[in-house]
Amino acid sequence: MLYILEDAINGILMGSIYGLAALGLTLIFGVLKVINFAHGSLLMVSMYVAYWTITLSGLHPYVALVIVVPIMFVFGYFLQDIVIKPIFKAEKNVREPITVIIVTTGVWYILDNLTLLIFGPQYRTLQDNPLRGKMLEIGEFMLSVPKLWGFGAAVLTTLAVYLFLQKTDTGRAIRATSLDREAASLMGINAYKIYNLAFGIGTATAGVAAVTLVPFNNVFPTVGVLFDIKCFIIVVLGGLGSIGGALLGGIIIGLIESIAPQFMAATWAEAIVYGLFLLVLFVKPAGLFGVKNDW
Amino acid sequence: MSFLDVRNIDVSYGDVQVIFDLSLKIEEGEVVSIIGGNGSGKSTLLRTISGLMQAESGEISFIGKPIHKMPPEDIVEAGLIHVPEGRRLFSLMTVLDNLIIGAHNSRARGKAKVAETLAKVYELLPRLQERQNQMALTLSGGEQQMVAIGRGLMAQPKLLMLDEPSLGLAPILIKSIFETVRKIANQGTTVLLVEQDVKHSLSLSDRGYVLEHGRIALEGPASQLLNDPHIKTAYLGI
Ligand SMILES: Nc1ncnc2c1ncn2[C@@H]1O[C@H](COP(=O)(O)OP(=O)(O)O)[C@@H](O)[C@H]1O
Ligand SMILES: [Mg+2]
């Protein structure tokens, strides 16, 4: 019984990091109404940025946030502004422009291959990092210290994004644009600027996720692919566009991944994840925690 | 030059032209109605003025500045505010948030200014204050229209364009919506009112245009239009 509890807690910790990784995907979808297929690649780029920042500066991984997050914000902001926005403008009268999805797929391929070209296929592990392999012993429990940090980062980041959207003028403008782009433009809101911001913030949250991951997860050019499908499932589970839903969806996946293998083969655990995904799509397509047309 | 000056515009959806060589003028302080049946092109005209659509030819100027090439947000900055057909509220946001969003433009923004405009809007539409923390989608149709108008006022319009504010409302609410429009005009805002409710809208207007199949069929002082035999038979059913 204790084992299961320990697995459950570690599952929640890891799941919250999945949720953090998925946060940007759900935010960008909520505002732009397109699935960003490059999200995993943005996470991968973030992990390289985090890896090199920490390695070259010798900073504590979480101190490196102050460098990684702004870099990724700017990266996402201009990726949308320079690469994606022109497509939106060309397809201005299309409600859900499929060409934008194709472009994000292109971005995925380009980023992954560019990284392979520049850094090679090898796996990189953060050296001398104060969090590496650390375990916290509480009574009978062994908890992973870097994942505990990750949990804290996930909860705080989710809360910060939520409050930003609810309480600030810019956040309000982002919500308005996501609900009705045309009506928002009649309020004087420049939708393309809002798209840039949403993409920047979404990519910045991937930057936070990357910092939580590099202390215990290898960095390599296709690392984003591992998270891609997971993020997508989480976002559908939690409700496309739902900020809190991403965190909760991530925790559900984390729990299934950590507990199910106690009772069945690991491949079956994966089958449960996909089964749940399909079930939600059939029964409650707005997601477990999403409102229809969530913000 | 007029306050709003629309000169010879043609507007199409793809291959289908719906506005033909249309011109109209509005002077500062006026209340002008555009009346016309379903599909006559009223909403298309407003959408073109507010920059949601582009005219294929012709020019539009507002307070002396050409606006027909501007994006909607720049036209809002200039003070021309469009309250669209069907209210188009931000459904999952509160009434208060909807109103505050109305004040997004740089002329209306700022904590003190927003508080001041909000107080005025609440004075005009006290119902909104009672409902301020409710989600917009939980309101009745009449209340939603009030939010839409209030949101437009929050933008501090120099010219307020209203697209069928009475659409789908019960007669008693229609009356109160038109009274509100009259009050807004009395406070000095120039109003362009698009309506199918010919009698009510002409009664509170200075002038009117009749739009038929994308062309101005008739124009003149509102009192004259109300007595026009064509309008009487075609729109008032007398
Ligand atoms: N999105 C659209 N695509 C194609 N045709 C449209 C569209 N919207 C309106 N129309 C057509 O344009 C004409 C004018 O419509 P509209 O401006 O909405 O009229 P009104 O507001 O007077 O009812 C109608 O014939 C309508 O069918
Ligand atoms: Mg209409």
Side-chain angles (χ1 to χ4, degrees):
Chain A
M1 194 56 221
L2 264 182
Y3 289 117
I4 293 184
L5 202 57
E6 185 180 284
D7 285 333
I9 293 172
N10 277 313
I12 289 172
L13 298 184
M14 192 59 215
S16 70
I17 297 172
Y18 292 155
L20 177 59
L23 182 59
L25 184 63
T26 209
L27 177 72
I28 289 168
F29 180 86
V31 180
L32 283 76
K33 310 296 178 214
V34 291
I35 288 286
N36 171 24
F37 276 98
H39 190 71
S41 300
L42 293 176
L43 185 66
M44 177 274 295
V45 170
S46 302
M47 285 173 76
Y48 272 92
V49 171
Y51 171 84
W52 284 112
T53 304
I54 296 163
T55 303
L56 296 177
S57 69
L59 289 172
H60 184 281
Y62 279 76
V63 176
L65 276 174
V66 300
I67 297 170
V68 176
V69 168
I71 289 178
M72 293 321 296
F73 174 83
V74 170
F75 187 82
Y77 188 99
F78 285 103
L79 180 66
Q80 147 65 26
D81 193 53
I82 295 166
V83 180
I84 301 175
K85 188 174 81 181
I87 315 295
F88 266 115
K89 284 199 163 163
E91 305 251 344
K92 181 152 72 180
N93 299 318
V94 186
R95 255 187 80 85
E96 275 147 17
I98 189 114
T99 38
V100 175
I101 296 175
I102 296 170
V103 168
T104 65
T105 312
V107 171
W108 162 19
Y109 272 79
I110 291 169
L111 289 179
D112 282 20
N113 285 300
L114 217 57
T115 309
L116 184 63
L117 207 68
I118 298 171
F119 296 108
Q122 63 266 43
Y123 284 44
R124 289 164 202 272
T125 310
L126 212 52
Q127 303 298 321
D128 314 319
N129 104 68
L131 297 174
R132 186 169 172 198
K134 270 232 178 104
M135 298 300 271
L136 183 68
E137 232 180 300
I138 306 176
E140 308 271 324
F141 293 132
M142 295 283 278
L143 300 178
S144 152
V145 171
K147 287 179 189 173
L148 266 173
W149 279 76
F151 176 78
V155 172
L156 286 178
T157 307
T158 305
L159 198 65
V161 170
Y162 178 80
L163 289 176
F164 169 75
L165 290 172
Q166 292 296 323
K167 302 289 178 198
T168 67
D169 281 350
T170 308
R172 207 180 278 116
I174 292 177
R175 279 188 292 146
T177 305
S178 86
L179 286 169
D180 189 334
R181 180 173 104 188
E182 197 172 271
S185 75
L186 290 180
M187 305 298 118
I189 297 169
N190 180 341
Y192 296 117
K193 216 187 247 171
I194 296 291
Y195 287 4
N196 291 349
L197 275 176
F199 224 94
I201 296 168
T203 309
T205 62
V208 182
V211 166
T212 69
L213 283 168
V214 287
F216 63 88
N217 206 101
N218 290 324
V219 182
F220 49 98
T222 52
V223 66
V225 178
L226 296 181
F227 289 92
D228 244 338
I229 297 172
K230 215 165 260 172
C231 287
F232 183 65
I233 292 176
I234 286 167
V235 161
V236 170
L237 273 186
L240 273 163
S242 166
I243 300 302
L247 187 61
L248 293 169
I251 288 174
I252 290 174
I253 301 292
L255 277 172
I256 294 175
E257 278 188 358
S258 64
I259 296 180
Q262 304 293 331
F263 304 99
M264 58 193 83
T267 42
W268 274 104
E270 208 162 303
I272 290 183
V273 169
Y274 285 102
L276 183 64
F277 170 69
L278 289 176
L279 191 70
V280 167
L281 271 185
F282 282 131
V283 180
K284 200 166 180 296
L288 294 176
F289 311 100
V291 190
K292 200 164 178 291
N293 280 317
D294 207 347
W295 70 270
Chain B
M1 195 177 266
S2 300
F3 203 54
L4 177 73
D5 199 349
V6 177
R7 287 185 303 274
N8 310 104
I9 57 165
D10 292 302
V11 187
S12 306
Y13 291 99
D15 293 336
V16 186
Q17 186 168 353
V18 296
I19 302 269
F20 300 87
D21 194 31
L22 184 148
S23 299
L24 63 83
K25 284 175 195 291
I26 296 174
E27 304 302 332
E28 187 166 9
E30 273 191 315
V31 178
V32 174
S33 281
I34 296 177
I35 57 180
N38 243 334
S40 58
K42 304 181 299 298
S43 297
T44 306
L45 173 61
L46 290 200
R47 292 169 59 81
T48 309
I49 296 173
S50 63
L52 293 176
M53 295 178 67
Q54 303 277 290
E56 286 171 347
S57 59
E59 282 152 24
I60 304 171
S61 63
F62 180 59
I63 323 185
K65 254 196 313 194
I67 57 167
H68 53 278
K69 295 218 168 80
M70 286 184 181
E73 52 284 4
D74 291 356
I75 294 172
V76 171
E77 287 289 338
L80 205 169
I81 308 300
H82 175 186
V83 176
E85 182 178 296
R87 341 217 193 280
R88 303 287 289 268
L89 299 183
F90 303 114
S91 54
L92 291 168
M93 291 167 69
T94 63
V95 168
L96 184 59
D97 271 350
N98 269 275
L99 293 173
I100 294 175
I101 280 283
H104 184 86
N105 72 72
S106 66
R107 286 173 308 106
R109 209 180 289 176
K111 223 177 180 147
K113 217 184 267 177
V114 169
E116 194 184 316
T117 326
L118 190 63
K120 277 190 203 150
V121 168
Y122 280 161
E123 200 187 313
L124 183 72
L125 301 160
R127 195 56 172 270
L128 299 190
Q129 186 155 26
E130 292 166 31
R131 305 273 177 206
Q132 65 175 357
N133 294 319
Q134 235 169 285
M135 290 253 233
L137 91 172
T138 65
L139 302 181
S140 70
E143 290 167 338
Q144 290 195 2
Q145 187 59 57
M146 288 177 198
V147 177
I149 294 174
R151 190 177 63 174
L153 290 174
M154 290 299 294
Q156 309 221 347
K158 294 176 181 157
L159 168 59
L160 186 65
M161 305 197 294
L162 302 164
D163 194 347
E164 297 209 41
S166 75
L167 191 69
L169 300 185
I172 179 147
L173 288 169
I174 292 182
K175 222 174 142 225
S176 106
I177 290 287
F178 281 112
E179 275 164 15
T180 305
V181 174
R182 188 63 252 176
K183 281 185 201 156
I184 293 168
N186 288 346
Q187 289 169 5
T189 307
T190 311
V191 176
L192 174 56
L193 179 60
V194 157
E195 263 299 339
Q196 293 200 48
D197 188 326
V198 174
K199 202 169 145 213
H200 277 109
S201 56
L202 283 179
S203 304
L204 65 77
S205 300
D206 301 309
R207 286 191 305 117
Y209 290 87
V210 180
L211 195 57
E212 285 176 0
H213 308 297
R215 294 182 170 88
I216 302 286
L218 212 57
E219 62 177 283
S223 53
Q224 191 180 318
L225 290 179
L226 272 169
N227 291 313
D228 186 277
H230 171 66
I231 293 189
K232 278 190 169 164
T233 50
Y235 296 98
L236 297 170
I238 310 176

